[in-house]
Amino acid sequence: MMTDASLAFSDLEARARAMAGDVPADRISVRDHVVDVEIGAFQAERGVTQRLSFSVVVEVSDHGGAQTDDVDDILSYDTITEAIMAELDAERLNLLETLAERIAQRLLHAPQPQRVFVRIEKLDRGPGKLGVEIVRDRSGQSGTAGTDDTPAPILTFLSSTALKSHGLGTFLDQLEQDGVPTILVVDADLPTATDSWPARNIALLQADQAAWRLAADDARSVPVGTRTELDWGLKNGQLSVWAPSKMVLDAVDAPVSTDLADLTLWFAQQVDACQILWVGCPARDIPGISSQSVMLEDLL
């Protein structure tokens, strides 16, 4: 039995266990995440950085991640570290209390978190650690709609002609230098699938293979098959190549067609694309999204 005093100085996991109800919740945690930050109300803390240590425990609602082994079904650790960095990047703050509150509220805007424990400690302001710790739950939330700061990407559909062009490497160089959030879709020249489930799977796996072939030719191109990884790539400057089989086969509203152009139009809506560039092939239009046919040499 933990006393109030021992609980006050225990780790966050111990406090979460002690505060659990009859049915303990699943918990996701990030501990001892150290970042150099300019923060503090004292003049001596202005114009310099100091180390902050972040420990966050998030209690989550029931989910199927353990059964599906699917990263899209769980709260990603990246969600926690991104919440920390988003609040640090937003503005300079004086108080750890303010920072902890904003991190907790940002996490609670996501659908799965039910309760959040946040501990922040200054490591350089004395002989020991100086910190704050808060616990927040959904009772203070006005809704579950959160801030999604994933940028709207440009989808670039690379036709078989573009893939064979000697200028493709230069084009990828340019994409890397421009830093515009981009997802590549690679034309796989897929056969028209019959109504059979095996034929549909084979066609989509061929599309995945086309993405991996591009990665083999240019290591900057990273095949990605889940929405979680795609969002991370868009936020972190990764040049992702869509490997479509998982998203298409898991979706209830995906086209039955295995024509990759049809799938690209559907995918553009899933990722809230702002534009589709059809490189080396005719454009396919979709309401609400700019669509343009271009030749590779026109982009260089």
Side-chain angles (χ1 to χ4, degrees):
M1 181 70 179
M2 298 189 71
T3 66
D4 289 344
S6 63
L7 188 59
F9 291 98
S10 64
D11 59 41
L12 292 183
E13 286 84 353
R15 177 161 303 180
R17 288 193 297 269
M19 296 177 65
D22 294 335
V23 182
D26 291 347
R27 291 184 289 274
I28 307 296
S29 64
V30 170
R31 294 182 292 179
D32 303 323
H33 179 69
V34 178
V35 184
D36 285 327
V37 182
E38 183 187 342
I39 190 170
F42 292 178
Q43 288 299 320
E45 296 175 292
R46 295 186 178 274
V48 297
T49 61
Q50 57 183 299
R51 292 177 302 152
L52 296 187
S53 176
F54 296 84
S55 292
V56 180
V57 174
V58 182
E59 292 184 345
V60 295
S61 57
D62 291 339
H63 58 82
Q67 288 72 41
T68 63
D69 196 34
D70 189 338
V71 69
D72 286 340
D73 289 337
I74 55 94
L75 180 75
S76 172
Y77 305 111
D78 291 332
T79 302
I80 299 176
T81 56
E82 287 172 4
I84 293 170
M85 298 312 298
E87 294 305 334
L88 290 177
D89 290 341
E91 63 175 316
R92 186 198 184 281
L93 296 174
N94 289 327
L95 301 178
L96 294 184
E97 287 84 350
T98 305
L99 179 57
E101 183 70 34
R102 292 185 180 182
I103 292 169
Q105 295 304 323
R106 177 176 284 269
L107 288 170
L108 285 168
H109 277 311
Q112 285 188 342
Q114 300 300 305
R115 187 163 55 173
V116 177
F117 298 74
V118 180
R119 174 181 288 167
I120 309 177
E121 296 169 309
K122 294 183 178 182
L123 304 182
D124 301 325
R125 286 293 293 167
K129 300 175 182 179
L130 310 178
V132 301
E133 182 178 312
I134 67 170
V135 182
R136 296 292 183 269
D137 60 27
R138 301 197 75 84
S139 62
Q141 293 294 306
S142 58
T144 59
T147 300
D148 184 2
D149 54 359
T150 302
I154 294 175
L155 295 191
T156 301
F157 184 96
L158 298 174
S159 68
S160 55
T161 301
L163 290 168
K164 296 174 184 175
S165 171
H166 294 299
L168 180 60
T170 304
F171 174 59
L172 296 180
D173 290 340
Q174 184 174 311
L175 286 180
E176 187 176 42
Q177 293 171 3
D178 291 346
V180 178
T182 301
I183 300 174
L184 302 178
V185 182
V186 180
D187 186 5
D189 291 327
L190 299 179
T192 301
T194 66
D195 291 337
S196 75
W197 178 249
R200 180 171 168 78
N201 275 269
I202 289 169
L204 289 170
L205 288 172
Q206 287 177 325
D208 287 358
Q209 288 180 326
W212 281 103
R213 281 196 295 271
L214 181 59
D217 292 337
D218 193 303
R220 293 169 296 182
S221 306
V222 181
V224 172
T226 67
R227 182 62 190 269
T228 299
E229 291 178 284
L230 286 165
D231 288 349
W232 185 92
L234 291 171
K235 295 175 184 177
N236 291 276
Q238 175 178 282
L239 187 58
S240 299
V241 189
W242 186 38
S245 65
K246 179 172 176 51
M247 286 185 66
V248 172
L249 293 173
D250 286 351
V252 297
D253 61 344
V256 175
S257 168
T258 54
D259 183 308
L260 204 57
D262 291 338
L263 295 177
T264 298
L265 297 179
W266 172 81
F267 180 56
Q269 295 175 311
Q270 306 308 302
V271 296
D272 297 321
C274 61
Q275 185 180 19
I276 308 175
L277 293 180
W278 303 86
V279 183
C281 60
R284 298 278 295 273
D285 293 327
I286 181 172
I289 300 177
S290 171
S291 191
Q292 181 181 0
S293 176
V294 295
M295 299 304 294
L296 185 62
E297 52 267 28
D298 296 334
L299 297 171
L300 300 177

